[in-house]
Amino acid sequence: MDLGTPYRGGFVGREHHFALTVYFEDTDTAGVVYYANYLRFMERARSDMLRVVGIDQREVMNGGGGAYYVADVNIRYLRPARLGDDLQVISTVEAVRGVSVVIHQRVMRGEEQLTDARVTAAFLDDYGRPQRQPKEWVERFKAIATGV
Protein backbone atom coordinates (compact mmCIF):
# COMPACT_ATOMS: atom_id res chain seq x y z
CA MET A 1 0.00 0.00 0.00
CA ASP A 2 1.43 3.36 -1.05
CA LEU A 3 0.25 5.94 1.49
CA GLY A 4 1.40 8.75 -0.81
CA THR A 5 -1.10 7.78 -3.52
CA PRO A 6 -4.61 9.28 -3.24
CA TYR A 7 -7.62 6.96 -3.29
CA ARG A 8 -9.14 6.39 -6.71
CA GLY A 9 -12.49 4.81 -7.37
CA GLY A 10 -13.16 2.39 -10.18
CA PHE A 11 -15.74 0.73 -12.37
CA VAL A 12 -17.77 -2.34 -11.55
CA GLY A 13 -19.49 -3.02 -14.86
CA ARG A 14 -21.24 0.22 -15.88
CA GLU A 15 -21.10 1.66 -12.34
CA HIS A 16 -18.34 3.86 -11.01
CA HIS A 17 -17.80 3.27 -7.26
CA PHE A 18 -16.18 5.92 -5.06
CA ALA A 19 -15.68 5.23 -1.34
CA LEU A 20 -15.48 7.81 1.43
CA THR A 21 -15.83 8.16 5.17
CA VAL A 22 -17.97 10.77 6.95
CA TYR A 23 -15.76 13.08 9.00
CA PHE A 24 -16.69 15.60 11.68
CA GLU A 25 -16.44 18.48 9.16
CA ASP A 26 -19.17 16.82 7.06
CA THR A 27 -21.75 16.87 9.85
CA ASP A 28 -23.96 19.26 11.75
CA THR A 29 -24.01 19.53 15.55
CA ALA A 30 -26.09 16.34 15.80
CA GLY A 31 -23.48 14.30 13.91
CA VAL A 32 -25.68 14.02 10.80
CA VAL A 33 -24.24 14.82 7.35
CA TYR A 34 -25.23 18.36 6.35
CA TYR A 35 -27.46 18.09 3.26
CA ALA A 36 -25.22 20.15 0.94
CA ASN A 37 -22.26 17.88 1.64
CA TYR A 38 -23.88 15.08 -0.35
CA LEU A 39 -23.37 17.31 -3.40
CA ARG A 40 -19.67 17.56 -2.53
CA PHE A 41 -19.43 13.79 -2.21
CA MET A 42 -21.07 13.37 -5.62
CA GLU A 43 -18.81 15.99 -7.21
CA ARG A 44 -15.72 14.11 -6.03
CA ALA A 45 -17.12 10.88 -7.45
CA ARG A 46 -17.91 12.48 -10.85
CA SER A 47 -14.45 14.04 -11.04
CA ASP A 48 -12.88 10.69 -10.19
CA MET A 49 -15.03 8.94 -12.80
CA LEU A 50 -13.76 11.34 -15.47
CA ARG A 51 -10.18 10.79 -14.37
CA VAL A 52 -10.59 7.00 -14.50
CA VAL A 53 -11.74 7.12 -18.15
CA GLY A 54 -8.86 9.40 -19.13
CA ILE A 55 -10.57 12.79 -19.27
CA ASP A 56 -8.17 15.45 -17.98
CA GLN A 57 -10.42 18.43 -17.19
CA ARG A 58 -7.56 20.61 -15.97
CA GLU A 59 -5.60 20.17 -19.20
CA VAL A 60 -8.59 21.20 -21.31
CA MET A 61 -9.43 24.15 -19.03
CA ASN A 62 -5.83 25.39 -19.10
CA GLY A 63 -5.87 25.11 -22.89
CA GLY A 64 -9.02 27.24 -23.16
CA GLY A 65 -11.10 24.29 -24.35
CA GLY A 66 -14.01 24.59 -21.91
CA ALA A 67 -15.15 22.76 -18.81
CA TYR A 68 -18.10 20.92 -17.30
CA TYR A 69 -20.52 22.88 -15.13
CA VAL A 70 -23.50 21.52 -13.26
CA ALA A 71 -26.60 22.78 -15.06
CA ASP A 72 -29.23 20.84 -13.12
CA VAL A 73 -29.45 18.65 -10.00
CA ASN A 74 -32.47 16.70 -8.86
CA ILE A 75 -31.79 15.02 -5.51
CA ARG A 76 -33.87 13.07 -3.02
CA TYR A 77 -32.65 12.53 0.51
CA LEU A 78 -33.84 9.15 1.73
CA ARG A 79 -31.88 8.49 4.95
CA PRO A 80 -29.21 10.37 6.90
CA ALA A 81 -25.52 9.49 7.02
CA ARG A 82 -23.74 9.98 10.32
CA LEU A 83 -20.29 10.69 11.65
CA GLY A 84 -17.96 7.74 11.02
CA ASP A 85 -20.12 6.06 8.35
CA ASP A 86 -18.34 4.47 5.41
CA LEU A 87 -20.16 5.41 2.21
CA GLN A 88 -19.99 4.73 -1.49
CA VAL A 89 -21.12 7.02 -4.28
CA ILE A 90 -22.28 4.92 -7.22
CA SER A 91 -22.47 6.78 -10.53
CA THR A 92 -23.86 5.70 -13.89
CA VAL A 93 -24.06 7.63 -17.15
CA GLU A 94 -27.71 7.83 -18.21
CA ALA A 95 -27.64 10.09 -21.25
CA VAL A 96 -25.02 11.65 -23.49
CA ARG A 97 -25.98 14.68 -25.56
CA GLY A 98 -23.95 17.02 -27.74
CA VAL A 99 -23.26 19.55 -24.99
CA SER A 100 -24.16 17.66 -21.82
CA VAL A 101 -24.17 14.39 -19.93
CA VAL A 102 -26.70 13.12 -17.38
CA ILE A 103 -25.25 11.11 -14.50
CA HIS A 104 -27.34 9.13 -12.00
CA GLN A 105 -25.69 9.10 -8.56
CA ARG A 106 -26.59 7.22 -5.39
CA VAL A 107 -24.95 7.57 -2.01
CA MET A 108 -24.98 4.21 -0.28
CA ARG A 109 -24.17 2.94 3.22
CA GLY A 110 -23.65 -0.73 2.52
CA GLU A 111 -26.87 -1.89 0.86
CA GLU A 112 -28.86 1.08 2.22
CA GLN A 113 -29.51 3.93 -0.22
CA LEU A 114 -29.21 7.37 1.37
CA THR A 115 -29.68 9.69 -1.62
CA ASP A 116 -30.81 9.46 -5.23
CA ALA A 117 -29.73 12.18 -7.66
CA ARG A 118 -29.57 13.01 -11.34
CA VAL A 119 -26.97 15.56 -12.33
CA THR A 120 -26.77 17.24 -15.73
CA ALA A 121 -23.28 18.53 -16.49
CA ALA A 122 -23.06 20.91 -19.44
CA PHE A 123 -19.86 21.59 -21.33
CA LEU A 124 -19.30 25.37 -21.54
CA ASP A 125 -16.67 27.54 -23.17
CA ASP A 126 -14.59 30.15 -21.33
CA TYR A 127 -17.46 32.66 -21.68
CA GLY A 128 -20.08 30.36 -20.15
CA ARG A 129 -21.72 29.43 -23.46
CA PRO A 130 -22.65 25.82 -24.22
CA GLN A 131 -20.36 24.10 -26.68
CA ARG A 132 -20.04 20.59 -28.02
CA GLN A 133 -18.11 18.18 -25.85
CA PRO A 134 -14.91 16.86 -27.38
CA LYS A 135 -15.84 13.95 -29.66
CA GLU A 136 -13.47 11.58 -27.85
CA TRP A 137 -15.18 12.37 -24.53
CA VAL A 138 -18.65 11.74 -25.99
CA GLU A 139 -17.40 8.34 -27.19
CA ARG A 140 -16.03 7.54 -23.72
CA PHE A 141 -19.30 8.51 -22.04
CA LYS A 142 -21.30 6.41 -24.50
CA ALA A 143 -18.99 3.45 -23.82
CA ILE A 144 -19.57 3.88 -20.08
CA ALA A 145 -23.34 4.13 -20.59
CA THR A 146 -23.50 0.95 -22.66
CA GLY A 147 -20.88 -0.98 -20.70
CA VAL A 148 -18.70 -1.54 -23.76
PDB file of all heavy atoms in Angstrom, residues 98-118:
ATOM      1  N   GLY A  98     -25.032  16.261 -27.117  1.00  0.00           N
ATOM      2  CA  GLY A  98     -23.952  17.019 -27.742  1.00  0.00           C
ATOM      3  C   GLY A  98     -23.191  17.917 -26.786  1.00  0.00           C
ATOM      4  O   GLY A  98     -21.960  17.989 -26.840  1.00  0.00           O
ATOM      5  N   VAL A  99     -23.918  18.608 -25.890  1.00  0.00           N
ATOM      6  CA  VAL A  99     -23.256  19.551 -24.988  1.00  0.00           C
ATOM      7  C   VAL A  99     -23.385  19.174 -23.515  1.00  0.00           C
ATOM      8  O   VAL A  99     -22.948  19.924 -22.655  1.00  0.00           O
ATOM      9  CB  VAL A  99     -23.780  21.001 -25.183  1.00  0.00           C
ATOM     10  CG1 VAL A  99     -23.503  21.483 -26.595  1.00  0.00           C
ATOM     11  CG2 VAL A  99     -25.252  21.116 -24.853  1.00  0.00           C
ATOM     12  N   SER A 100     -23.975  18.013 -23.226  1.00  0.00           N
ATOM     13  CA  SER A 100     -24.163  17.659 -21.815  1.00  0.00           C
ATOM     14  C   SER A 100     -24.168  16.153 -21.610  1.00  0.00           C
ATOM     15  O   SER A 100     -24.265  15.374 -22.564  1.00  0.00           O
ATOM     16  CB  SER A 100     -25.470  18.255 -21.277  1.00  0.00           C
ATOM     17  OG  SER A 100     -26.585  17.665 -21.920  1.00  0.00           O
ATOM     18  N   VAL A 101     -24.086  15.784 -20.343  1.00  0.00           N
ATOM     19  CA  VAL A 101     -24.171  14.392 -19.929  1.00  0.00           C
ATOM     20  C   VAL A 101     -25.021  14.343 -18.660  1.00  0.00           C
ATOM     21  O   VAL A 101     -24.940  15.245 -17.818  1.00  0.00           O
ATOM     22  CB  VAL A 101     -22.762  13.785 -19.718  1.00  0.00           C
ATOM     23  CG1 VAL A 101     -22.004  14.513 -18.640  1.00  0.00           C
ATOM     24  CG2 VAL A 101     -22.824  12.300 -19.423  1.00  0.00           C
ATOM     25  N   VAL A 102     -25.871  13.312 -18.558  1.00  0.00           N
ATOM     26  CA  VAL A 102     -26.703  13.122 -17.375  1.00  0.00           C
ATOM     27  C   VAL A 102     -26.152  11.922 -16.617  1.00  0.00           C
ATOM     28  O   VAL A 102     -25.992  10.832 -17.185  1.00  0.00           O
ATOM     29  CB  VAL A 102     -28.180  12.883 -17.741  1.00  0.00           C
ATOM     30  CG1 VAL A 102     -29.015  12.638 -16.478  1.00  0.00           C
ATOM     31  CG2 VAL A 102     -28.737  14.055 -18.535  1.00  0.00           C
ATOM     32  N   ILE A 103     -25.851  12.148 -15.327  1.00  0.00           N
ATOM     33  CA  ILE A 103     -25.255  11.106 -14.496  1.00  0.00           C
ATOM     34  C   ILE A 103     -26.181  10.834 -13.307  1.00  0.00           C
ATOM     35  O   ILE A 103     -26.588  11.760 -12.598  1.00  0.00           O
ATOM     36  CB  ILE A 103     -23.858  11.538 -14.011  1.00  0.00           C
ATOM     37  CG1 ILE A 103     -22.959  11.802 -15.222  1.00  0.00           C
ATOM     38  CG2 ILE A 103     -23.257  10.488 -13.087  1.00  0.00           C
ATOM     39  CD1 ILE A 103     -21.635  12.440 -14.891  1.00  0.00           C
ATOM     40  N   HIS A 104     -26.530   9.557 -13.143  1.00  0.00           N
ATOM     41  CA  HIS A 104     -27.339   9.135 -11.998  1.00  0.00           C
ATOM     42  C   HIS A 104     -26.368   8.784 -10.879  1.00  0.00           C
ATOM     43  O   HIS A 104     -25.425   8.012 -11.094  1.00  0.00           O
ATOM     44  CB  HIS A 104     -28.193   7.921 -12.376  1.00  0.00           C
ATOM     45  CG  HIS A 104     -29.032   7.406 -11.270  1.00  0.00           C
ATOM     46  ND1 HIS A 104     -29.254   6.071 -11.062  1.00  0.00           N
ATOM     47  CD2 HIS A 104     -29.725   8.042 -10.285  1.00  0.00           C
ATOM     48  CE1 HIS A 104     -30.041   5.899 -10.018  1.00  0.00           C
ATOM     49  NE2 HIS A 104     -30.335   7.083  -9.527  1.00  0.00           N
ATOM     50  N   GLN A 105     -26.583   9.356  -9.679  1.00  0.00           N
ATOM     51  CA  GLN A 105     -25.690   9.101  -8.559  1.00  0.00           C
ATOM     52  C   GLN A 105     -26.484   8.725  -7.317  1.00  0.00           C
ATOM     53  O   GLN A 105     -27.491   9.356  -6.997  1.00  0.00           O
ATOM     54  CB  GLN A 105     -24.819  10.327  -8.275  1.00  0.00           C
ATOM     55  CG  GLN A 105     -23.856  10.607  -9.424  1.00  0.00           C
ATOM     56  CD  GLN A 105     -22.867  11.677  -9.076  1.00  0.00           C
ATOM     57  OE1 GLN A 105     -23.198  12.857  -9.095  1.00  0.00           O
ATOM     58  NE2 GLN A 105     -21.648  11.264  -8.747  1.00  0.00           N
ATOM     59  N   ARG A 106     -25.984   7.687  -6.630  1.00  0.00           N
ATOM     60  CA  ARG A 106     -26.590   7.223  -5.389  1.00  0.00           C
ATOM     61  C   ARG A 106     -25.516   7.181  -4.321  1.00  0.00           C
ATOM     62  O   ARG A 106     -24.413   6.706  -4.567  1.00  0.00           O
ATOM     63  CB  ARG A 106     -27.163   5.818  -5.560  1.00  0.00           C
ATOM     64  CG  ARG A 106     -28.302   5.749  -6.558  1.00  0.00           C
ATOM     65  CD  ARG A 106     -28.747   4.328  -6.834  1.00  0.00           C
ATOM     66  NE  ARG A 106     -27.691   3.622  -7.561  1.00  0.00           N
ATOM     67  CZ  ARG A 106     -27.346   2.356  -7.333  1.00  0.00           C
ATOM     68  NH1 ARG A 106     -27.929   1.650  -6.391  1.00  0.00           N
ATOM     69  NH2 ARG A 106     -26.396   1.783  -8.046  1.00  0.00           N
ATOM     70  N   VAL A 107     -25.839   7.701  -3.154  1.00  0.00           N
ATOM     71  CA  VAL A 107     -24.946   7.569  -2.010  1.00  0.00           C
ATOM     72  C   VAL A 107     -25.490   6.409  -1.191  1.00  0.00           C
ATOM     73  O   VAL A 107     -26.668   6.391  -0.816  1.00  0.00           O
ATOM     74  CB  VAL A 107     -24.868   8.860  -1.173  1.00  0.00           C
ATOM     75  CG1 VAL A 107     -23.996   8.638   0.060  1.00  0.00           C
ATOM     76  CG2 VAL A 107     -24.330  10.016  -2.007  1.00  0.00           C
ATOM     77  N   MET A 108     -24.597   5.446  -0.942  1.00  0.00           N
ATOM     78  CA  MET A 108     -24.984   4.210  -0.280  1.00  0.00           C
ATOM     79  C   MET A 108     -24.183   4.014   1.008  1.00  0.00           C
ATOM     80  O   MET A 108     -23.018   4.390   1.079  1.00  0.00           O
ATOM     81  CB  MET A 108     -24.713   3.014  -1.202  1.00  0.00           C
ATOM     82  CG  MET A 108     -25.310   3.114  -2.592  1.00  0.00           C
ATOM     83  SD  MET A 108     -27.103   2.969  -2.620  1.00  0.00           S
ATOM     84  CE  MET A 108     -27.320   1.258  -2.141  1.00  0.00           C
ATOM     85  N   ARG A 109     -24.840   3.421   2.004  1.00  0.00           N
ATOM     86  CA  ARG A 109     -24.165   2.944   3.215  1.00  0.00           C
ATOM     87  C   ARG A 109     -24.418   1.438   3.213  1.00  0.00           C
ATOM     88  O   ARG A 109     -25.513   0.987   3.572  1.00  0.00           O
ATOM     89  CB  ARG A 109     -24.735   3.599   4.458  1.00  0.00           C
ATOM     90  CG  ARG A 109     -24.073   3.114   5.755  1.00  0.00           C
ATOM     91  CD  ARG A 109     -24.624   3.829   6.989  1.00  0.00           C
ATOM     92  NE  ARG A 109     -26.078   3.879   6.992  1.00  0.00           N
ATOM     93  CZ  ARG A 109     -26.786   4.987   7.303  1.00  0.00           C
ATOM     94  NH1 ARG A 109     -26.193   6.107   7.653  1.00  0.00           N
ATOM     95  NH2 ARG A 109     -28.102   4.956   7.271  1.00  0.00           N
ATOM     96  N   GLY A 110     -23.430   0.693   2.727  1.00  0.00           N
ATOM     97  CA  GLY A 110     -23.653  -0.733   2.523  1.00  0.00           C
ATOM     98  C   GLY A 110     -24.723  -0.913   1.459  1.00  0.00           C
ATOM     99  O   GLY A 110     -24.636  -0.353   0.368  1.00  0.00           O
ATOM    100  N   GLU A 111     -25.764  -1.659   1.789  1.00  0.00           N
ATOM    101  CA  GLU A 111     -26.873  -1.889   0.856  1.00  0.00           C
ATOM    102  C   GLU A 111     -27.965  -0.819   0.972  1.00  0.00           C
ATOM    103  O   GLU A 111     -28.919  -0.821   0.204  1.00  0.00           O
ATOM    104  CB  GLU A 111     -27.489  -3.276   1.112  1.00  0.00           C
ATOM    105  CG  GLU A 111     -26.533  -4.419   0.864  1.00  0.00           C
ATOM    106  CD  GLU A 111     -26.112  -4.521  -0.600  1.00  0.00           C
ATOM    107  OE1 GLU A 111     -26.976  -4.374  -1.484  1.00  0.00           O
ATOM    108  OE2 GLU A 111     -24.912  -4.733  -0.840  1.00  0.00           O
ATOM    109  N   GLU A 112     -27.828   0.075   1.937  1.00  0.00           N
ATOM    110  CA  GLU A 112     -28.856   1.080   2.223  1.00  0.00           C
ATOM    111  C   GLU A 112     -28.616   2.340   1.395  1.00  0.00           C
ATOM    112  O   GLU A 112     -27.562   2.969   1.478  1.00  0.00           O
ATOM    113  CB  GLU A 112     -28.806   1.413   3.713  1.00  0.00           C
ATOM    114  CG  GLU A 112     -29.882   2.329   4.186  1.00  0.00           C
ATOM    115  CD  GLU A 112     -29.774   2.568   5.685  1.00  0.00           C
ATOM    116  OE1 GLU A 112     -28.674   2.442   6.259  1.00  0.00           O
ATOM    117  OE2 GLU A 112     -30.814   2.894   6.269  1.00  0.00           O
ATOM    118  N   GLN A 113     -29.614   2.722   0.600  1.00  0.00           N
ATOM    119  CA  GLN A 113     -29.506   3.925  -0.222  1.00  0.00           C
ATOM    120  C   GLN A 113     -29.892   5.147   0.596  1.00  0.00           C
ATOM    121  O   GLN A 113     -30.953   5.190   1.208  1.00  0.00           O
ATOM    122  CB  GLN A 113     -30.412   3.811  -1.451  1.00  0.00           C
ATOM    123  CG  GLN A 113     -30.260   4.973  -2.403  1.00  0.00           C
ATOM    124  CD  GLN A 113     -31.019   4.765  -3.699  1.00  0.00           C
ATOM    125  OE1 GLN A 113     -31.487   3.691  -3.997  1.00  0.00           O
ATOM    126  NE2 GLN A 113     -31.132   5.827  -4.468  1.00  0.00           N
ATOM    127  N   LEU A 114     -28.984   6.158   0.590  1.00  0.00           N
ATOM    128  CA  LEU A 114     -29.214   7.373   1.367  1.00  0.00           C
ATOM    129  C   LEU A 114     -29.726   8.527   0.518  1.00  0.00           C
ATOM    130  O   LEU A 114     -30.513   9.343   0.987  1.00  0.00           O
ATOM    131  CB  LEU A 114     -27.915   7.787   2.073  1.00  0.00           C
ATOM    132  CG  LEU A 114     -27.254   6.709   2.939  1.00  0.00           C
ATOM    133  CD1 LEU A 114     -25.998   7.262   3.602  1.00  0.00           C
ATOM    134  CD2 LEU A 114     -28.221   6.150   3.961  1.00  0.00           C
ATOM    135  N   THR A 115     -29.212   8.640  -0.717  1.00  0.00           N
ATOM    136  CA  THR A 115     -29.680   9.691  -1.625  1.00  0.00           C
ATOM    137  C   THR A 115     -29.831   9.123  -3.025  1.00  0.00           C
ATOM    138  O   THR A 115     -29.238   8.101  -3.370  1.00  0.00           O
ATOM    139  CB  THR A 115     -28.696  10.881  -1.722  1.00  0.00           C
ATOM    140  OG1 THR A 115     -27.502  10.447  -2.349  1.00  0.00           O
ATOM    141  CG2 THR A 115     -28.406  11.487  -0.374  1.00  0.00           C
ATOM    142  N   ASP A 116     -30.624   9.816  -3.818  1.00  0.00           N
ATOM    143  CA  ASP A 116     -30.808   9.463  -5.226  1.00  0.00           C
ATOM    144  C   ASP A 116     -30.797  10.775  -5.999  1.00  0.00           C
ATOM    145  O   ASP A 116     -31.602  11.662  -5.713  1.00  0.00           O
ATOM    146  CB  ASP A 116     -32.148   8.745  -5.412  1.00  0.00           C
ATOM    147  CG  ASP A 116     -32.296   8.201  -6.808  1.00  0.00           C
ATOM    148  OD1 ASP A 116     -31.558   7.266  -7.162  1.00  0.00           O
ATOM    149  OD2 ASP A 116     -33.146   8.722  -7.557  1.00  0.00           O
ATOM    150  N   ALA A 117     -29.862  10.899  -6.949  1.00  0.00           N
ATOM    151  CA  ALA A 117     -29.727  12.175  -7.657  1.00  0.00           C
ATOM    152  C   ALA A 117     -29.469  11.963  -9.142  1.00  0.00           C
ATOM    153  O   ALA A 117     -28.861  10.966  -9.549  1.00  0.00           O
ATOM    154  CB  ALA A 117     -28.581  12.992  -7.064  1.00  0.00           C
ATOM    155  N   ARG A 118     -29.918  12.933  -9.926  1.00  0.00           N
ATOM    156  CA  ARG A 118     -29.569  13.013 -11.339  1.00  0.00           C
ATOM    157  C   ARG A 118     -28.943  14.387 -11.549  1.00  0.00           C
ATOM    158  O   ARG A 118     -29.521  15.411 -11.175  1.00  0.00           O
ATOM    159  CB  ARG A 118     -30.790  12.818 -12.209  1.00  0.00           C
ATOM    160  CG  ARG A 118     -31.102  11.349 -12.308  1.00  0.00           C
ATOM    161  CD  ARG A 118     -32.271  10.980 -13.151  1.00  0.00           C
ATOM    162  NE  ARG A 118     -32.412   9.542 -13.220  1.00  0.00           N
ATOM    163  CZ  ARG A 118     -32.741   8.751 -12.196  1.00  0.00           C
ATOM    164  NH1 ARG A 118     -32.946   9.254 -11.012  1.00  0.00           N
ATOM    165  NH2 ARG A 118     -32.848   7.444 -12.358  1.00  0.00           N
TER     166      ARG A 118
END
